[in-house]
Amino acid sequence: MFDHEVQTIEAEGDLEVMSAGECLSDVEPSKMLLGDLWREGELAVLYGDTSSGKSLLAVQLAEAIARGRSIEPFEMTAGAQKVLLLDLGRTREQFSRRYMAESDSDEVAGKRYEFSPDLKRGFLKNAVQIAPGKLGPAIERSGAKIVIIDSLAYLQKYAIPRETVVAMRELRRLQKRFGLSILVLMNTSRVVNKRGISAGDIPCSSVVTSYADNVFAVGRSGSKSAVRYLKHIKNSLDDTIYGAAHVPYFAIIAEGGVFPSFHYIGVAGEMTLRSHDNDHWEWQRIRSIKRLSDEGKTIREIAAELEIARSTVQRLLAMAGDAPPLPSPSAFVEEKIQHFVGREACIVRDCKGCHECSGRAARDFSEIPANIIKGHGGECPDDCDMCGPRRYDPEDETVDSEVKDRSAAHYEALREWLLDGKRGPKPVYPEAHRYGVEKACWKPGSEKWTEEQVAIFDRWMRTHPKIGPEPDFNPRAGP
């Protein structure tokens, strides 16, 4: 028997065939470790720029799983269990410094974070690289089913596709052999500033995304140096919640001064987070430190108030004399306006009608069912709670002055709300209504319809040919 025949027979033993119905029987849904970003039994990849916070998040996630906790806003349904963190790029001393308080006073000298006993950390003693095939014995000895590897670079001799294929294939083999859930960290191949993060930023991206069940990335905010966001790139469930339109973002804060970690702030569009001037914010922080110092506060008090390390306060305070002058009020407003795009830009720039807004820049379809959105082309009345009022020229004498005043007041309130960073509730046009759906966008009297009645009318409008008479829910006077 020839060698290739032997290999063929062995390969056949690895391939199982069953009916599609059998595939659905006796299969329990996988439990979540980090929401839909990483589930039990999956090989997931986390990537980002150098110093973007990947390792901080990896340690935070390992500690959370070991204690059975979740990281907001992601669910954790797998329960507490042993975790093996293969921290291949840092020595014991470097790891210790990160999770010990600065010892510049007797009060905090030697203070350190108390990790869960179920979190095991592995590190390279005398080597700078390890073959992925040698990880098996260490994983088996640890007894852990959750493995986090920081990072893939230490499993490759060279950063070439062939080496990446070998490493990812071996990790997949280990995952299946021991029933593991593996998260492996990677660096991006280049820094991305003017656009969002994509799968193309991963070295050998086609290989990595082929072998990984889930892929997600950590990105930097362009407005604050301590803010990061997570973006889901590939989802094993084919339903990415945290895509470019709404990514969760976090502040990096050291809990008790000894555990730097991601703290959830909210959800925003990726480009909104990336588009601001980071240098301007950094100088604002330096000015704040200088102001607090001039008020007589100590380094320790400033660090506690701003939630940053004391050594950082000392370094930034030394730079305060080089801070550039503050921009004039008008220049500051103009700078803030540069950050808006689409209809928001139309609002802050007093646009009277363009291809972006069509004269109705207040239009807002967020959190509105799609069956109601359909047909809204700007023809409904000013008090439509989705389309908002039109923007009128003050010199237009064909429009009632009261209507123009109400519209101008609403747009001015929206402009102030946007320039103030969207603080507080979004201004609402007075006595706004929800209108039904028709070819002309709205039907007289439909502002009083219930959501169910609107849905019935919408279903009738979608049928072709029309079945039955047109639904009409408007009350009529008389018998």
Side-chain angles (χ1 to χ4, degrees), residues 60-130:
Q60 181 183 0
L61 179 56
E63 172 70 358
I65 295 173
R67 294 189 181 274
R69 299 172 181 169
S70 62
I71 297 177
E72 194 181 6
F74 309 107
E75 292 184 72
M76 196 282 191
T77 58
Q81 51 192 299
K82 289 183 179 179
V83 181
L84 175 61
L85 172 63
L86 295 175
D87 192 359
L88 307 179
R90 262 166 294 279
T91 64
R92 287 184 61 184
E93 292 75 14
Q94 290 170 332
F95 184 81
S96 298
R97 284 200 301 270
R98 174 169 282 180
Y99 297 100
M100 290 180 64
E102 298 171 338
S103 55
D104 59 351
S105 72
D106 295 336
E107 182 182 344
V108 296
K111 183 181 177 183
R112 65 185 67 192
Y113 181 78
E114 294 294 332
F115 283 96
S116 166
D118 285 332
L119 173 54
K120 308 297 180 183
R121 178 178 176 269
F123 58 94
L124 294 175
K125 290 180 63 177
N126 302 315
V128 294
Q129 181 261 342
I130 183 172

Side-chain angles (χ1 to χ4, degrees), residues 207-228:
V207 173
V208 173
T209 54
S210 295
Y211 279 98
D213 298 301
N214 265 301
V215 180
F216 58 103
V218 56
R220 300 172 184 273
S221 165
S223 59
K224 295 187 177 181
S225 60
V227 171
R228 303 289 188 271

Side-chain angles (χ1 to χ4, degrees), residues 283-298 302 305-306 313 316-317 320-321 323 326:
W283 284 114
Q284 286 290 85
R285 181 163 71 157
I286 292 173
R287 292 189 187 97
S288 298
I289 291 173
K290 179 66 165 62
R291 176 178 53 79
L292 294 173
S293 177
D294 292 342
E295 291 174 0
K297 293 192 175 182
T298 65
I302 297 173
E305 181 170 336
L306 299 181
V313 173
L316 294 181
L317 187 58
L326 286 169

Side-chain angles (χ1 to χ4, degrees), residues 164-395:
T164 304
V165 169
V166 171
M168 292 297 294
R169 186 165 54 196
E170 183 60 26
L171 291 179
R172 176 64 83 178
R173 188 187 69 81
L174 290 171
Q175 176 223 343
K176 291 183 176 295
R177 177 184 174 187
F178 296 109
L180 304 175
S181 307
I182 299 177
L183 175 66
V184 59
L185 277 57
M186 296 183 64
N187 279 340
T188 54
S189 57
R190 59 187 180 274
V191 177
V192 288
N193 292 320
K194 298 299 183 182
R195 60 169 177 79
I197 301 173
S198 69
D201 299 321
I202 310 174
C204 311
S205 60
S206 59
V207 173
V208 173
T209 54
S210 295
Y211 279 98
D213 298 301
N214 265 301
V215 180
F216 58 103
V218 56
R220 300 172 184 273
S221 165
S223 59
K224 295 187 177 181
S225 60
V227 171
R228 303 289 188 271
Y229 67 89
L230 295 180
K231 181 180 181 181
H232 207 168
I233 304 297
K234 176 187 176 182
N235 190 350
S236 59
L237 301 180
D238 298 324
D239 184 17
T240 301
I241 298 175
Y242 298 112
H246 28 65
V247 295
Y249 63 103
F250 310 78
I252 297 180
I253 300 173
E255 294 181 6
V258 292
F259 191 69
S261 52
F262 282 48
H263 290 252
Y264 177 64
I265 301 175
V267 176
E270 182 181 16
M271 296 315 297
T272 300
L273 291 171
R274 297 183 69 90
S275 63
H276 300 151
D277 178 12
N278 188 56
D279 291 341
H280 174 73
W281 187 89
E282 278 296 316
W283 284 114
Q284 286 290 85
R285 181 163 71 157
I286 292 173
R287 292 189 187 97
S288 298
I289 291 173
K290 179 66 165 62
R291 176 178 53 79
L292 294 173
S293 177
D294 292 342
E295 291 174 0
K297 293 192 175 182
T298 65
I299 297 294
R300 181 188 300 279
E301 291 171 337
I302 297 173
E305 181 170 336
L306 299 181
E307 296 181 325
I308 56 179
R310 290 187 297 279
S311 58
T312 302
V313 173
Q314 290 174 327
R315 287 194 294 268
L316 294 181
L317 187 58
M319 302 179 191
D322 298 322
L326 286 169
S328 64
S330 59
F332 186 67
V333 170
E334 181 61 28
E335 179 188 0
K336 297 178 82 171
I337 287 177
Q338 299 296 331
H339 305 156
F340 296 103
V341 295
R343 288 191 296 273
E344 289 186 352
C346 293
I347 291 173
V348 297
R349 293 188 180 280
D350 195 24
C351 173
K352 295 298 190 298
C354 65
H355 69 283
E356 284 283 354
C357 66
S358 301
R360 301 189 81 157
R363 192 180 301 179
D364 181 12
F365 292 158
S366 62
E367 301 180 3
I368 304 299
N371 65 328
I372 298 178
I373 294 176
K374 183 181 179 184
H376 276 250
E379 298 301 323
C380 49
D382 274 21
D383 60 348
C384 174
D385 69 345
M386 286 181 282
C387 295
R390 293 168 180 80
R391 201 157 203 173
Y392 299 103
D393 189 332
E395 305 300 325

